[in-house]
Amino acid sequence: MGSRGGDRERFDAAITGLGMLTPAGVGTAASWERIRQGAGTEAVKVPELADIAADFACQVLDFDAVAVLGRRRVGQFDRSSRLALAAAIEAVADSGLDPQTWDGARVGVVLGNGIGGAETWETQFRRLLDSGPRRVSPRLIPMLSSNMNAGYVSMEFGARGPSLVTATACASGTTAIGTARELLRSGACDVVITGGAEAPLTPSLIAGFSQMGALSRRNDDIRAASRPFDADRDGFVAAEGAAVLVLERAGDARARGARIRAMVSGYGASADAYHATAPDPEGKGAALALRAALRDAGVGPDEVDHVSAHGTATVINDVTEAHLIRDVLGDRPVVTSVKGVTGHSLSAAGAIEAAVAALTLAESFVPPTANLESLDPRIELDVVAKEGREMPVEVVVSNSFGFGGQNAVLLLTRS
């Protein structure tokens, strides 16, 4: 494995803390266990979506926000912020760092969020129409604004370093982690709390995705609805969720004896400059991001063991990504998509997949792609299906692609 990325020395950011709230489970352990099993899509019928062609979604069930945040505080936050805070609280505790003793000026927060407080916006707009402007909550703006997930996490831990939200659509969580690593590399921070959160399961948003034809309409078999890379896939299943990682410089983490799950060793970003919603069919923009991540880490294409794919289960995107992987990396790496279990949580997806990639490296176990019964013949890759695969894993690539042609790729290595 090389030591240089482009003209810079390779920089490893240690992942020392993980927090996850996904449709697969509340908490990292519960989420990872269900993802390892790959039993099927964790979808449920949602009464509020009853009039929409796709009337189901992947929710984070059994999440007790009151138990985590306290009854008095819960009403101050949109659901996306509750998810972000809960994931961050778990991640910081998992890292072994003590916010009471750290230098808050050296701690940053970078979270991905694409839509902001969607539930709050929809609820308050209905109140405006039904009851007039005097009934709108004075907390609407701080609950709605997409920057507030990072703001609230900064307040929670006294993190007074840079506080940012990245908004690159479904690549947002991955962009956030790449940006967080740069804050460590530059010396601006010693610790960064990073990841993504999204709670987009409102009638207007799901109706919008449905009208685009982006969602699966497998209403009679929702456990099998999200089918990445399958010949019979028909769209993604919308989801909510959050994942937060604590990053530190590798040397700092080792010096304090931290448990290091994995290293973020490379990052690349690019734009397709092609279409508002469709990927470049030749994958040229995405290839730029993937090759940039390899260069940044000083890793050759033939050294990648595993790809944690974007794998949304949409007809066009899965084929385009498969061709991209084969063109740049060949047919050596094994591939999986966790969205067969979790659905697609938009800006949180890349952060969830980065957390899963870290666990894959830590445990030498590649989880299966749920619901993959018959591989699309156009996808000439070794896609893990049916059962997970125990195997040596040293290098993982995690892909994320978003509307607007925004691409982000992380390269993770074993600690």
Side-chain angles (χ1 to χ4, degrees):
M1 200 176 291
S3 62
R4 295 183 65 82
D7 59 353
R8 297 189 292 181
E9 291 294 332
R10 175 162 129 180
F11 179 83
D12 289 330
I15 301 171
T16 58
L18 291 177
M20 298 172 69
L21 286 88
T22 77
V26 175
T28 298
S31 290
W32 175 234
E33 181 57 32
R34 293 295 292 168
I35 290 168
R36 281 178 60 102
Q37 294 170 6
T41 310
E42 298 292 339
V44 295
K45 294 283 186 176
V46 180
E48 292 80 5
L49 308 180
D51 295 330
I52 300 171
D55 63 357
F56 59 96
C58 291
Q59 295 179 312
V60 179
L61 301 175
D62 302 321
F63 169 42
D64 186 349
V66 172
V68 177
L69 302 172
R71 188 172 302 279
R72 184 181 63 83
R73 291 208 299 160
V74 161
Q76 301 174 15
F77 307 124
D78 181 80
R79 184 166 176 83
S80 68
S81 297
R82 295 172 195 167
L83 293 170
L85 280 162
I89 288 168
E90 182 188 12
V92 171
D94 185 56
S95 75
L97 292 165
D98 184 358
Q100 298 300 316
T101 60
W102 67 22
D103 180 359
R106 303 291 302 164
V107 180
V109 178
V110 187
L111 296 179
N113 184 269
I115 296 175
E119 182 181 75
T120 295
W121 172 249
E122 199 145 322
T123 298
Q124 293 300 317
F125 186 64
R126 284 198 299 267
R127 184 175 294 179
L128 172 68
L129 295 180
D130 293 342
S131 304
R134 291 183 179 276
R135 301 300 299 168
V136 171
S137 170
R139 294 197 60 83
L140 167 61
I141 301 305
M143 292 175 71
L144 167 67
S145 299
S146 59
N147 71 295
M148 292 305 294
N149 283 358
Y152 288 134
V153 169
S154 297
M155 296 173 207
E156 183 74 19
F157 298 108
R160 293 182 285 112
S163 178
L164 311 171
V165 164
T166 57
T168 52
C170 300
S172 299
T174 300
T175 304
I177 296 167
T179 302
R181 176 171 168 267
E182 289 302 313
L183 289 175
L184 294 172
R185 192 205 298 254
S186 71
C189 295
D190 297 328
V191 176
V192 186
I193 303 166
T194 185
E198 197 89 270
L201 305 182
T202 69
S204 64
L205 293 177
I206 300 306
F209 282 120
S210 181
Q211 290 296 98
M212 290 174 62
L215 300 181
S216 171
R217 298 190 179 185
R218 200 179 295 267
N219 299 55
D220 58 345
D221 190 11
I222 62 177
R223 291 280 294 170
S226 182
R227 308 175 69 84
F229 304 117
D230 191 84
D232 197 29
R233 67 192 181 279
D234 71 329
F236 74 81
V237 177
E240 61 182 1
V244 171
L245 295 70
V246 175
L247 299 187
E248 305 173 61
R249 293 184 196 84
D252 294 346
R254 291 192 182 105
R256 71 177 184 88
R259 175 182 60 177
I260 300 174
R261 307 275 197 162
M263 301 289 188
V264 181
S265 300
Y267 171 64
S270 68
D272 285 353
Y274 172 75
H275 190 272
T277 58
D280 178 347
E282 298 181 17
K284 291 180 290 187
L288 290 173
L290 176 51
R291 290 192 173 103
L294 293 169
R295 282 196 309 274
D296 191 27
V299 168
D302 59 346
E303 296 177 87
V304 177
D305 301 306
H306 168 52
V307 177
S308 178
H310 189 55
T312 59
T314 53
V315 175
I316 296 174
N317 283 271
D318 284 9
V319 171
T320 301
E321 183 176 14
H323 290 169
L324 158 74
I325 292 168
R326 189 174 177 86
D327 287 348
V328 178
L329 303 177
D331 59 5
R332 177 179 181 271
V334 301
V335 178
T336 198
S337 169
V338 304
K339 291 184 177 76
V341 175
T342 64
H344 188 5
S345 54
L346 309 184
S347 69
I352 292 169
E353 287 148 21
V356 169
L359 293 166
T360 294
L361 283 159
E363 298 189 13
S364 298
F365 180 85
V366 178
T369 302
N371 298 321
L372 178 50
E373 301 294 335
S374 178
L375 186 67
D376 186 326
R378 296 170 293 177
I379 295 171
E380 301 176 52
L381 297 171
D382 182 3
V383 183
V384 181
K386 308 294 185 182
E387 295 182 352
R389 194 176 299 180
E390 293 186 6
M391 57 175 281
V393 184
E394 299 291 334
V395 179
V396 177
V397 161
S398 185
N399 293 333
S400 294
F401 313 122
F403 283 174
Q406 295 182 294
N407 310 302
V409 177
L410 295 170
L411 189 145
L412 286 76
T413 57
R414 182 181 294 278
S415 63

